[in-house]
């Protein structure tokens, strides 16, 4: 058997080999890219070093007392209690420390919560498991979904540089303008968090929390939902893209044009192939995480769609479930998330995919008629 000396030598050798790896292990908070994020970082470091000094002083006195006043040296313990001087001393010192920490902290917190004079208002709504962004000044809105593929998640493909931190639609903001975020949720509690911008606000159903940022340099800043919100909590990234003002205005015009075109698509004559293609994309974005790409689901929480009564029953019932959800289950209502075109496309896809093809087609006009008052009692 290996001797104790050899075991210790091996342990030291392994530790030394691991040092280069540990040197890259960052545990401090990020400095950020905005003035407020850097103020938060500086405040964090001030309080950190205060805590370090307190620790050194307290443990230094403790160890000095243990070493120099031990029984083996013949030291007799002092007998005293209710010392007025000691009481005053250990009250004044912590009080002074707290005041020294409170002054810079108060100034930073007041600045963090001052959302006045914002030039752009963006409403952020958390859903399981995506974000909706509505630009209240520009009257545009969209959903932002994680774009990391299922193949990457399940190790069938090599993972990308921004694994689980990439989206199909980032939030775009202009450089040099104060942007206010109005954060809420549609279902459960989420948390909108972008470390580089020092923004972290809980998204709570029925409440609106405010936050703000002002980016001085163009860039892409990534974050995540920071509240455990369910099965796909880890698949709910946030991406904020800061661009020059001219580029931002061009993006707004492009989004407004896309919204106009989407509205006109309701009256288009769709072919079966077009609906299937759009439906497959919509299903992959909104449905596949629960019901799986092959339609087999994850029973019992997420039932299979392939060969089910759900996709082979009356079309009106199928549309109704997508629009209104199923009470008491994880199936949420998509009436506010999908337009009539996407609802028609995904219903068409679900009724014809996975070998159940019979050519049944649902059009946007069918969905519009379904939504009319009195259509479903």
């Amino acid at each position: 058997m290996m001797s104790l000396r050899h075991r210790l030598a091996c342990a030291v050798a392994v530790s030394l080999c691991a040092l280069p790896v540990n040197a890259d292990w960052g545990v401090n908070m990020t400095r950020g890219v905005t003035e407020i994020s850097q103020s938060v970082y500086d405040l964090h470091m001030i309080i950190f070093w205060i805590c370090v000094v307190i620790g050194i002083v307290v443990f230094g006195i403790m160890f000095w007392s243990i070493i120099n006043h031990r029984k083996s040296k013949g030291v007799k313990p002092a007998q005293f209690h209710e010392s007025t001087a000691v009481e005053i001393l250990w009250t004044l010192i912590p009080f002074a420390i707290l005041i020294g920490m409170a002054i810079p902290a108060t100034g930073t917190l007041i600045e963090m919560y001052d959302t006045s004079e914002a030039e752009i208002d963006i409403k952020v709504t958390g859903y399981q498991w995506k974000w909706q962004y509505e630009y209240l000044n520009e009257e545009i809105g969209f959903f932002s979904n994680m774009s990391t593929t299922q193949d990457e998640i399940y190790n069938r493909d090599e993972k990308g540089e921004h694994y689980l931190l990439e989206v199909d639609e980032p939030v775009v903001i202009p450089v040099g303008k104060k942007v206010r975020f109005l954060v809420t949720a549609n279902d459960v509690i989420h948390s909108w968090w972008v470390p580089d911008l020092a923004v972290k606000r809980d998204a709570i159903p029925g409440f609106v929390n405010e936050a703000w940022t002002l980016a001085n340099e163009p860039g892409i800043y990534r974050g995540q939902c920071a509240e455990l919100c369910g099965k796909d909590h880890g698949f709910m990234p946030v991406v904020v893209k800061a661009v020059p003002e001219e580029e931002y205005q061009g993006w707004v015009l492009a989004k407004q044009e896309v919204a106009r075109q989407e509205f006109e698509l309701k009256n288009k004559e769709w072919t079966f192939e077009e609906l299937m293609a759009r439906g497959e994309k919509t299903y992959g974005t909104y449905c596949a995480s629960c019901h799986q790409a092959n339609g087999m689901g994850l029973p019992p929480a997420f039932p299979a769609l392939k060969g089910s009564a759900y996709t082979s029953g009356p079309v009106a019932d199928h549309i109704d479930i997508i629009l209104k959800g199923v009470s008491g289950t994880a199936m949420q209502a998509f009436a506010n998330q999908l337009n009539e075109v996407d609802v028609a496309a995904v219903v068409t896809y679900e009724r014809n995919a996975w070998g159940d093809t019979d050519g049944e087609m649902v059009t946007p006009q069918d969905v519009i008629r379904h939504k009319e008052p009195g259509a479903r009692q």
Side-chain angles (χ1 to χ4, degrees), residues 33-37 111 116-119 173-181 196-199 211-217 221 242:
V33 296
T34 62
E35 291 182 7
I36 188 67
S37 68
E111 187 179 4
S116 62
E117 300 181 359
E119 298 179 76
I173 62 173
V175 169
K177 284 192 173 182
K178 187 173 183 178
V179 180
R180 180 173 63 164
F181 300 104
D196 280 328
L197 304 181
V199 176
W212 68 273
T213 192
L214 196 161
N216 294 316
E217 296 291 338
Y221 311 112

Side-chain angles (χ1 to χ4, degrees), residues 69 75-81:
H69 296 85
V75 177
K76 300 294 183 181
Q79 301 294 327
F80 66 91
H81 60 86

Side-chain angles (χ1 to χ4, degrees), residues 102-121:
I103 291 174
T106 301
T108 301
L109 286 172
I110 290 174
E111 187 179 4
M112 287 178 67
Y113 282 91
D114 181 14
T115 60
S116 62
E117 300 181 359
E119 298 179 76
I120 296 173
D121 292 321

Side-chain angles (χ1 to χ4, degrees), residues 71-277:
K71 185 178 180 180
S72 62
K73 293 185 68 173
V75 177
K76 300 294 183 181
Q79 301 294 327
F80 66 91
H81 60 86
E82 298 179 3
S83 170
T84 302
V86 172
E87 295 280 357
I88 293 174
L89 191 62
W90 71 33
T91 299
L92 288 180
I93 292 176
F95 180 77
I97 292 172
L98 290 175
I99 292 298
M101 295 165 70
I103 291 174
T106 301
T108 301
L109 286 172
I110 290 174
E111 187 179 4
M112 287 178 67
Y113 282 91
D114 181 14
T115 60
S116 62
E117 300 181 359
E119 298 179 76
I120 296 173
D121 292 321
I122 302 176
K123 182 182 177 183
V124 181
T125 306
Y127 286 78
Q128 290 180 307
W129 290 272
K130 64 187 77 69
W131 298 101
Q132 182 187 28
Y133 300 103
E134 298 173 78
Y135 288 65
L136 305 183
N137 310 82
E138 289 81 8
E139 297 184 350
I140 58 176
F142 55 89
F143 280 86
S144 180
N145 301 274
M146 185 185 71
S147 60
T148 299
T149 66
Q150 294 291 310
D151 287 337
E152 288 181 67
I153 293 171
Y154 292 104
N155 299 314
R156 292 189 291 265
D157 266 350
E158 185 178 347
K159 291 175 170 50
E161 178 184 359
H162 301 296
Y163 176 67
L164 299 184
L165 292 175
E166 50 196 357
V167 298
D168 54 359
E169 288 275 6
V171 188
V172 179
I173 62 173
V175 169
K177 284 192 173 182
K178 187 173 183 178
V179 180
R180 180 173 63 164
F181 300 104
L182 306 171
V183 184
T184 186
N186 180 70
D187 36 45
V188 300
I189 297 177
H190 302 277
S191 188
W192 199 78
W193 177 47
V194 185
D196 280 328
L197 304 181
V199 176
K200 183 179 183 290
R201 285 292 181 274
D202 284 345
I204 304 173
F207 293 85
V208 176
N209 291 323
E210 293 183 315
W212 68 273
T213 192
L214 196 161
N216 294 316
E217 296 291 338
I220 296 177
Y221 311 112
R222 303 177 189 274
Q224 295 172 291
C225 174
E227 190 74 35
L228 186 60
C229 60
K231 166 182 167 288
D232 283 348
H233 158 68
F235 303 148
M236 199 170 169
V238 177
V239 178
V240 178
K241 183 178 181 181
V243 299
E245 173 67 18
E246 184 178 350
E247 183 177 342
Y248 171 76
Q249 293 301 331
W251 176 84
V252 168
L253 293 175
K255 294 297 292 184
Q256 291 172 340
E257 176 62 20
V258 168
R260 185 189 65 79
Q261 292 175 359
E262 285 290 323
F263 181 80
E264 292 178 352
L265 287 177
K266 298 177 183 179
N267 299 316
K268 174 186 172 180
E269 292 294 330
W270 288 82
T271 67
F272 177 78
E273 290 74 19
E274 289 174 330
L275 285 171
M276 285 294 289

